[in-house]
Amino acid sequence: MLFNSFTYLVFLPIVVALYWVIPARFRTWLLLVASYLFYMNWIPVYGLLIIFLTLVNYGLGLIIAKANKNRKLILTIGLCFNIGALCFFKYASFLAENAWLAVYNGSQFLHSVIPAAPISQWQNPVVNILLPLGISFFTFEFIHYIVDVYKGSSPIYNLKNFALFAAFFPSQIAGPIKRYQDFMNQLGHPLTLKQADFGGGVFLILQGLYKKIVLGDNLGTIVNYGFTHANQLGRLDAWIAVVGFTFQIFFDFSGYTDIGRGSAMLFGYKVPENFNLPFLAANLTEFWHRWHMSLSTWLRDYLFFPLGGSRVPPWRVRFNLMITMVLGGLWHGAAWHYMLWGAFHGLGLVISKDWHDFVSKFSNLSKWRLSKLWHWCGVGYTLLFLFIAGLFFRAETLQDVWVLFSTMLPLFSLNGRSHELVQMFLVSTVPISIIAYCLFLIAKEALQKISISEIPVANAVLELWQNSAPVRLVAYISIGLLILGFAPNKMSPFIYFQF
Amino acid sequence: MITSTITYSTDTVDSKKGSKSAGFAKYALQSVVFLFLCIVLLEGYLKLAGVGGQEFLRPSIKMGCEHIPGKRVIWRLEGYSHDRLSKVGLRDSEHSITKEAGTYRIALLGDSAVESLQVDLNQTFGKVLESLLNTKQRATVRQFEVVNFGCSSYSTGQEVLQYESEIDKYQPDAVVLLYNRGDSLENVIHDKDRKHAEIRPYFYLDQNGQLHQDNSVLNNNMDKLKPQPIKDFLREHSAIHGVLTQADLSLTINEPRYRKIKSWIEALVNLPKRFDPKNQSTLTAIYPDQNDMAVTKALIERLANNIAQKNRTFILMIFPNIVHYDVLLQQAKQLKTLADNKHFRCLDLSSSFLADKDPNSNFIQYHFSKKGHEVVASQLMQVINERVMLKN
């Protein structure tokens, strides 16, 4: 079920209403059933997969917690099981196709050197496995669970609670990747719906829908056209497509997270934040502390640290960074361009770290580093890096990457190509929507700094907002109408659903 | 003592009641002001952003629907255009009914493919054709004028009626009708579809092959077609209304569950109608289910005869079929035979579109792109040239 679908618009209010109406002891059950319904709305049989994985990991957690010996072996089995499930559903086709390509090209090469050598007759294997939605996310949650239990955290003894942790629909399909300790502490609390939670939840959902539909989807139309017509783009067109994609994926994914977090708040749950103004990061390391935070902390805790983290010789640190980012890239999708994207980010992080170390050696440079100019130059460089990295992420072939990259550079002639994408962008609703969104962010930031009680008008509005349900209702409906008005003709799924 | 106490407490209750009702009135007033403010802000912002301006049709007792005259339309559904419909409701610039001497006037008839809201007015094949003819054919004719009568959702039957009631008075020298895939199905109504049929006139052939008009669906929905001042005002001026209508349309097309819930609600609302004997009678078939192509050919024949009587030129243009869709291939074949028998020109656009290296680039979804319009205009220019030469 898509968060931006009509079905969800009907589903969520029904579940929320039922949740607060029924006795508290049945609420976990309701959320569990609702989560399975949510998941099985797409392909019902995959509901069995999530149930099966839940049962196995629940058992593994209990066994690891109780076992006195062979704990490491049980953990290894658990890790292999979860990674195996992920590999089977996500990477089987990729691995089979690349194995075939390797054998075929190898035999071709051998044949060209030794004509007597036979050419491989192995047919290209077609593995038709439909990727279960959200498998990358809940597999990582299971891995986190069994590793933490192995490290000494208390396991979840109640199967129903564990099943809800795994299937909780607001974060089921595309995260944020939860930590079970945080989630379990919230089970069954609060007993009544607080106005702040309700208001905050609705606000986050509307903000998420605005980001996804008004900004992400409308940008997506322009970006898709650009990437599918890469050969015909002018220079400015190429820039719009590439820069547009970086912002599209942000609006799409952070929009999804907002809707998920907002939905969770309506049940009184807090799901971790995933984004913190990532495009204001002054370097790549900071970017990864602000972008998809639940994944980057997961990769740090369960991959980078076990590999040795930063407490190893410098060459190993660089190696660990590269490995972490390449695997992080591959986690996004079973394709070479995702791996390249990860490797590009890994390289960027290595350079960023080395640059940081280099600057630290010189006191003059270290002083400059504190200046605003240095900071904003860093923001600019990081953004430029992200735009180029986004090319690897979005383009389907390396040829497309090169075509767009060369089009963006002033060194290459374009033979007077038209600026169709520029026109598309200018007549679209994207510019005005971005301006409105920026004004909203500025106002939000300003409101946090200013004491409202000092401004009589703001005080009156706030009082009205807090005391009048009809006013809030009208405001929510108005924002809903605004989103509806700017929505493209057909809803598109979230980009991160495919991961 | 007791009395005074009682008096005192009554006063307190009254004053509390008074302050409560005053407080309620205050919040009610504030809410109303806030609602008004929201509507004004939303309308302003939507208009500024060019959103909610896609509603351009209004109900018509005779045709089912028609363009809203003078409506500013900002089209974003597929492609983009930002124009105002003419004062008489044409997707065109203003044209006077009386034709200037020496002017060769071409009337374009068809549905959304002719209306062409997906591109700017100057990029439509009508405008491109006019410009081409005026630059290349000035030697034979003083001036060419192309008038676009295309209207979304129109069937062949509606186009024939449109010619007879509106276009004839424009005295066109040539009439071009674009036949689109699916048009034939829109001309007839099958008995099982009557309840949920598009509101428009339908046609049927009697046992003797005579063409008749079936207005039962129009009559059955007369309450929706009659002027409704508030609704009509909102349709013409409100961007919020436009957003809601557009959302309803998009959801109806794309969301099966929305369709289902909507049909339940409609069934519930229309429950009293089901027991109304007046409505029962109009929903009953008076003729057997029709062959849609036979009816369509009869309609085109009627149009061709009307045009021929006034010694005008008729050109039937067939929408390009680049995917070799079998139904349209068969229909095109039948229409070409009809054109041969009735001596009018039939222009199948398929071959010229298929000659393109990238035929898909001529389309924006199901409509012509800017490039597609140029192809249509150049094809049509050749046919018009032939006809003008013949006449001269």
Side-chain angles (χ1 to χ4, degrees), chain A residues 5-7 41 210 427-429 432-433 436 463-464 467-468 470-471 474-475 478 481-482 484-486 489-490, chain B residues 27 30-31 34-35 38 42 45-46 48-49 51 76-77 80 240 243-244 246-247 250-251 254-255 257-258 261:
Chain A
S5 66
F6 173 74
T7 313
N41 183 258
Y210 185 90
V427 300
S428 75
T429 55
I432 195 167
S433 305
E463 195 190 335
L464 185 67
N467 296 324
S468 172
V471 162
V474 167
S478 301
L481 272 172
L482 189 80
L484 212 58
F486 282 76
N489 188 29
K490 201 170 181 181
Chain B
Y27 274 114
Q30 282 173 337
S31 300
F34 188 75
L35 177 68
C38 274
L42 202 58
Y45 184 64
L46 292 173
L48 183 73
V51 167
R76 293 186 184 279
L77 212 58
Y80 175 82
I240 295 175
V243 164
L244 289 171
Q246 194 53 49
S250 291
L251 286 168
N254 300 315
E255 289 275 1
R257 284 183 178 126
Y258 178 81
I261 293 174

Side-chain angles (χ1 to χ4, degrees), chain B residues 51 62 77 84 305 316 352:
Chain B
V51 167
K62 200 173 157 194
L77 212 58
R84 195 177 280 280
N305 289 340
L316 176 67
S352 52

Side-chain angles (χ1 to χ4, degrees), chain A residues 111-264:
Chain A
H111 182 74
S112 65
V113 179
I114 312 162
I119 296 175
S120 168
Q121 295 301 309
W122 185 26
Q123 296 292 308
N124 185 2
V126 180
V127 185
N128 280 325
I129 302 170
L130 213 53
L131 182 71
L133 278 179
I135 189 165
S136 312
F137 291 90
F138 56 73
T139 308
F140 270 29
E141 287 183 347
F142 287 138
I143 292 173
H144 135 75
Y145 172 70
I146 57 170
V147 170
D148 278 20
V149 170
Y150 172 79
K151 284 180 179 172
S153 292
S154 174
I156 304 170
Y157 290 101
N158 187 319
L159 177 60
K160 175 189 64 179
N161 292 350
F162 181 74
L164 182 62
F165 160 68
F168 188 55
F169 76 85
S171 64
Q172 186 186 55
I173 308 294
I177 301 165
K178 306 184 292 295
R179 300 296 170 106
Y180 83 92
Q181 296 90 340
D182 300 334
F183 188 79
M184 285 304 133
N185 286 336
Q186 299 181 57
L187 268 180
H189 301 288
L191 290 172
T192 51
L193 177 61
K194 293 174 188 164
Q195 192 187 313
D197 278 349
F198 183 79
V202 173
F203 177 78
L204 273 175
I205 291 171
L206 290 172
Q207 179 177 277
L209 287 171
Y210 185 90
K211 281 186 191 171
K212 161 67 183 159
I213 297 171
V214 179
L215 296 167
D217 285 355
N218 285 315
L219 254 177
T221 312
I222 298 162
V223 169
N224 289 347
Y225 187 87
F227 274 84
T228 47
H229 295 80
N231 286 313
Q232 299 159 24
L233 301 183
R235 184 159 295 125
L236 207 52
D237 286 344
W239 275 99
I240 285 179
V242 171
V243 173
F245 175 68
T246 306
F247 282 94
Q248 183 206 350
I249 197 162
F250 166 70
F251 290 130
D252 190 283
F253 194 19
S254 73
Y256 167 85
T257 311
D258 285 348
I259 302 169
R261 289 180 58 226
S263 304

